[in-house]
Amino acid sequence: MPPRKLVRDSVGYVFTQYVVRAALMLRGFIAARVLGPQAYGSWNAIQLVMDYGSLATLGTQQGLDQAVPPALVAEDPRALRSVTRGGLFNIVLLTCLFIAGIVGIALWKRGEVLTHWGLTGLLVACGVILLTNVAYYMTTVLRSHNDFNAVSRWWFLQALFGAGIGLGGLWVWGPWALLGGWFVGTLIATVVTGVASRHVAPLKAYPTADSQRLIRIGLPMF
C-alpha cells in the first residue's frame, strides 16, 4: 500500500473512532434521560457482561497482532493459515466457555441481570459477545493487511445501526431497544466485514500448532 494511502486510511480509522465514541455518548445521555435510573441501570449491567466478554480470548487477538505480520512478510501461506485458523479456534472456544460460565452463574445465583432481562436478554447479550469477538479476529487480520477502511467500516456500522435502532425504539421498547439495536448493529457490521475479509480471514477454525503459541504471545500483553 502506498504510504500516502496508508496515512489517509489510518487517519480515517482514528476519525471513525471519534465518531463512534460521540454516537455512543449521545445514546447514553439520551437513554439515561428517557429511561430513568432503574431501567438505565439494568442496561449498564448487561453492557458490563458484553464488555467483559471481549476479555474471554485470553490475549489471542494480541497474539494475532504479533504473529500475522511476520507470516505475511515471509509470504508463507501455510504459516498464515495455521495462525489464523488456530486463532479463530481459540476465540470461538474460549468465548463459548465464557458464555457457558456466564449463563450457568446467572441461572445459579439468579442475580440482577437475570431478574431484569431474563434468560432471553442474557442470551442476546451472549450473541453480541460471540459476534464481537469473531469480528475482532477479522479486523485484527485486516489491520495486518493494512485494510483500515474495512476495520473502520465495522466500527461505523455497529455504532450507526446499534445506536440508531436503540434510540429510535427507546420510547416504545425501553432498554430492550438498546440491547436489540446493539445486537442488530453488531450482526450487520460483522456480516459486512466477513464478506470483505473472506479471502484473508476466512471463518475456518481448527486447532493448530499456533493455537497455544498465540496465547503465550498475547497473554502478557493482554
Side-chain angles (χ1 to χ4, degrees):
M1 177 180 290
R4 183 174 299 177
K5 185 177 188 305
L6 179 59
V7 170
R8 185 171 63 249
D9 291 349
S10 300
V11 171
Y13 173 75
V14 173
F15 178 74
T16 300
Q17 295 295 307
Y18 282 114
V19 171
V20 168
R21 296 298 182 270
L24 297 182
M25 288 175 62
L26 179 64
R27 181 191 64 177
F29 177 76
I30 295 174
R33 295 291 299 270
V34 173
L35 295 176
Q38 184 173 3
Y40 189 67
S42 69
W43 164 240
N44 276 324
I46 202 77
Q47 268 193 308
L48 282 175
V49 173
M50 293 186 286
D51 289 343
Y52 284 128
S54 65
L55 308 179
T57 59
L58 300 181
T60 297
Q61 182 185 350
Q62 289 82 359
L64 285 168
D65 271 325
Q66 300 299 311
V68 173
L72 289 173
V73 172
E75 298 183 350
D76 187 344
R78 180 178 297 179
L80 188 60
R81 282 196 301 271
S82 177
V83 168
T84 55
R85 270 60 162 186
L88 183 58
F89 174 80
N90 286 358
I91 288 169
V92 172
L93 176 63
L94 292 171
T95 302
C96 288
L97 289 175
F98 175 86
I99 289 172
I102 286 292
V103 172
I105 291 171
L107 291 173
W108 175 43
K109 289 199 168 185
R110 308 294 300 184
E112 293 296 323
V113 170
L114 205 63
T115 299
H116 286 285
W117 292 96
L119 185 58
T120 300
L122 183 59
L123 291 177
V124 171
C126 289
V128 172
I129 293 170
L130 182 58
L131 287 169
T132 300
N133 287 349
V134 170
Y136 283 171
Y137 151 75
M138 294 187 290
T139 55
T140 297
V141 177
L142 285 167
R143 276 201 310 272
S144 296
H145 285 79
N146 292 327
D147 192 350
F148 290 94
N149 282 336
V151 178
S152 299
R153 192 181 306 119
W154 185 84
W155 289 99
F156 181 76
L157 289 173
Q158 187 196 38
L160 175 67
F161 287 98
I165 294 172
L167 289 177
L170 194 60
W171 285 265
V172 180
W173 296 295
W176 279 96
L178 298 175
L179 180 59
W182 201 239
F183 176 83
V184 172
T186 305
L187 177 62
I188 291 173
T190 302
V191 169
V192 171
T193 304
V195 172
S197 66
R198 63 190 182 278
H199 298 302
V200 298
L203 296 178
K204 297 178 180 179
Y206 49 81
T208 69
D210 288 299
S211 297
Q212 294 183 6
R213 184 172 74 92
L214 290 171
I215 295 179
R216 287 199 304 271
I217 295 172
L219 188 59
M221 301 171 64
F222 165 81

